[in-house]
Amino acid sequence: MFRSVRPYLEEAGISNLVVCYQGAAVVDPASGTFVLHEPIPLETAREAITLLTELGHGPNCYVDDRLFVAEHTEYSRMYSDFQHIPVEEVGDLAGWLTQPPTKLVAVAEPAQIPALRKALSASFGDRLFLTTSLPFLLELGNPAVSKGTGIAFVAQRLGISLERIVSFGDGENDIELIEEAGFGIAVEDANPLLLERADWICPSANEEGVATVIDAYLDLLA
């Protein structure tokens, strides 16, 4: 969510476009304007909410950079605490939804995620983009977007060739990001799928691997 990213942008003094929601939105931090927004089609979202609810995992639903759930659960509270954002309870989520959501997220125990993903894949095929970020989060999005399409949009707006971009990632949801960039780097404790596709592997976040790579490059330029 942009509202989750904003505090870090402000602390770091970043004013350039930022890719949010797995690439479904690109936001101008100065104004908070979504310069790109590719939400899930409304009827597809309603179908997905209904299926996940029947499976016992009513999803998080993101509309207008706000987070909604049918009812609060231990998972919604865990997510709220993790992201430091409010969660709004609306009752019948599929019935309440009247505009395409930016994305949906099913929150479950890691061992339950594969079965949820299999059920969604069987029901929706290529009508949804499915990926995982953290082990307990199954992300649902518009099939036309990913972090890769998000970075491509930003690169075009800035007039920068994708071949000149270096990207870093740690989760399955970063696969398209590192594949789209000219040089894709995974941290050493990344998702195995990402490690297989990365051009290079750097130390983990605990060892400040990304910062180490950037500092080394800047030292070369000095």
Side-chain angles (χ1 to χ4, degrees):
M1 297 178 73
F2 174 64
R3 69 190 302 172
S4 298
V5 176
R6 186 193 289 271
Y8 304 103
L9 298 175
E10 293 175 347
E11 182 177 356
I14 294 174
S15 59
N16 287 325
L17 297 176
V18 58
V19 179
C20 302
Y21 292 104
Q22 309 296 350
V26 175
V27 187
D28 177 0
S31 62
T33 301
F34 282 36
V35 297
L36 173 72
H37 189 212
E38 297 285 355
I40 302 172
L42 180 58
E43 290 308 316
T44 300
R46 285 174 172 163
E47 289 179 44
I49 291 169
T50 299
L51 176 58
L52 286 168
T53 301
E54 291 173 351
L55 294 172
H57 294 279
N60 295 344
C61 180
Y62 301 79
V63 178
D64 293 333
D65 210 33
R66 295 162 64 188
L67 174 53
F68 302 90
V69 295
E71 60 182 2
H72 286 299
T73 66
E74 61 175 312
Y75 296 116
S76 68
R77 293 187 178 93
M78 177 175 65
Y79 188 89
S80 176
D81 292 341
F82 171 71
Q83 294 284 9
H84 306 293
I85 55 173
V87 179
E88 303 176 55
E89 190 177 47
V90 298
D92 177 8
L93 186 59
W96 167 86
L97 190 63
T98 58
Q99 67 185 82
T102 306
K103 75 170 181 176
L104 301 170
V105 174
V107 186
E109 294 300 319
Q112 298 172 312
I113 294 295
L116 289 176
R117 187 171 191 163
K118 183 177 180 180
L120 287 165
S121 294
S123 295
F124 293 92
D126 60 4
R127 290 192 293 150
L128 283 173
F129 172 66
L130 302 176
T131 190
T132 56
S133 47
L134 296 174
F136 53 89
L137 301 179
L138 179 61
E139 312 263 349
L140 290 64
N142 185 311
V145 298
S146 67
K147 289 186 180 181
T149 63
I151 195 174
F153 178 86
V154 172
Q156 183 179 39
R157 287 286 293 258
L158 298 178
I160 300 173
S161 167
L162 284 167
E163 294 179 356
R164 298 183 59 202
I165 292 177
V166 176
S167 62
F168 298 85
D170 66 345
E172 181 198 355
N173 59 327
D174 295 318
I175 288 176
E176 293 81 7
L177 174 67
I178 67 165
E179 289 183 335
E180 190 73 16
F183 196 75
I185 301 175
V187 294
E188 63 183 0
D189 54 353
N191 183 291
L193 294 174
L194 195 71
L195 293 172
E196 292 174 4
R197 292 165 170 79
D199 296 307
W200 194 60
I201 298 172
C202 74
S204 70
N206 290 333
E207 299 177 70
E208 299 185 344
V210 175
T212 300
V213 174
I214 294 173
D215 284 343
Y217 178 72
L218 293 176
D219 286 344
L220 289 175
L221 298 179

